[in-house]
Amino acid sequence: MRASALLLLSLFVTACAAPEVRPAGAIRKVVVVVGSRVDSLPMSSYRQDLMGEGNPRTVLVSQAESVLRERGFEIAGTRISAAPSPSTDEVVSVIRANDAEAAVVVVLSWVDVSGIQTMGRADVLMEAGVISSDGQLLWRTESRTVAMIGLYQSQTDYTSYLRKAVIQIVKEVP
């Protein structure tokens, strides 16, 4: 009985743990700016139509915000760019308008879901970068993610592969 109470207490403390704390001197207050060269996701479902998840930009911004908050960043604002890739001027204006230190920019370049229903495989090409308030590129990466998802999930939740790709690339942000 005592061991189970200690186990439950440790699980509770772990679940209530605060998000990561950013190291001293690291960028903390950011805006999230997303763009996409893919106008709409290749497959639609009831959930995508009802919740707007057919637009990859909404998935990108919500998932990027979530991961950055977990990593200890303060999100000052977000911007979904109408352009396929946001311009430096657009990013700097969002940073200044929200009194942030920098912007985390995520751009979806390409999606291939031709093997999603047969193999549960989706390929996603994405770019991410950090831009300072004066327009300097502080960090950049490009990622090609091969997301494997289960058969049921591939038939009911087509955006899960995109969420996995965003999580992977945003976790690399310094």
Side-chain angles (χ1 to χ4, degrees):
M1 178 72 169
R2 188 174 200 187
S4 64
L6 286 174
L7 178 64
L8 284 173
L9 180 62
S10 68
L11 289 173
F12 178 72
V13 170
T14 304
C16 295
E20 287 182 37
V21 176
R22 303 286 300 151
I27 294 171
R28 293 175 191 231
K29 189 175 180 182
V30 297
V31 292
V32 177
V33 182
V34 299
S36 178
R37 293 181 180 98
V38 178
D39 289 328
S40 63
L41 296 174
M43 303 178 141
S44 64
S45 68
Y46 172 75
R47 182 177 165 162
Q48 286 176 342
D49 294 339
L50 183 65
M51 301 178 79
E53 289 185 358
N55 181 348
R57 291 170 177 89
T58 59
V59 177
L60 294 173
V61 77
S62 66
Q63 198 63 57
E65 279 182 12
S66 175
V67 173
L68 289 169
R69 277 195 184 98
E70 287 173 6
R71 297 197 46 227
F73 286 92
E74 177 187 342
I75 308 299
T78 59
R79 169 73 148 267
I80 296 175
S81 179
S85 182
S87 70
T88 303
D89 291 338
E90 178 183 10
V91 173
V92 169
S93 71
V94 175
I95 294 170
R96 291 182 180 157
N98 290 285
D99 196 29
E101 298 173 48
V104 175
V105 180
V106 180
V107 176
L108 177 63
S109 300
W110 176 75
V111 174
D112 177 14
V113 292
S114 59
I116 200 165
Q117 291 197 347
T118 56
M119 297 181 292
R121 174 191 166 127
D123 294 309
V124 180
L125 183 61
M126 189 175 292
E127 300 171 54
V130 177
I131 298 180
S132 69
S133 59
D134 61 355
Q136 297 296 314
L137 180 63
L138 302 175
W139 174 85
R140 181 189 177 283
T141 190
E142 188 174 295
S143 171
R144 181 170 184 209
T145 305
V146 177
M148 300 302 287
I149 57 177
L151 181 62
Y152 175 75
Q153 192 174 22
S154 72
Q155 294 175 359
T156 58
D157 184 11
Y158 299 123
T159 59
S160 61
Y161 63 86
L162 187 55
R163 286 193 301 272
K164 287 180 181 183
V166 174
I167 289 168
Q168 178 180 328
I169 200 164
V170 173
K171 281 187 175 182
E172 295 178 26
V173 172

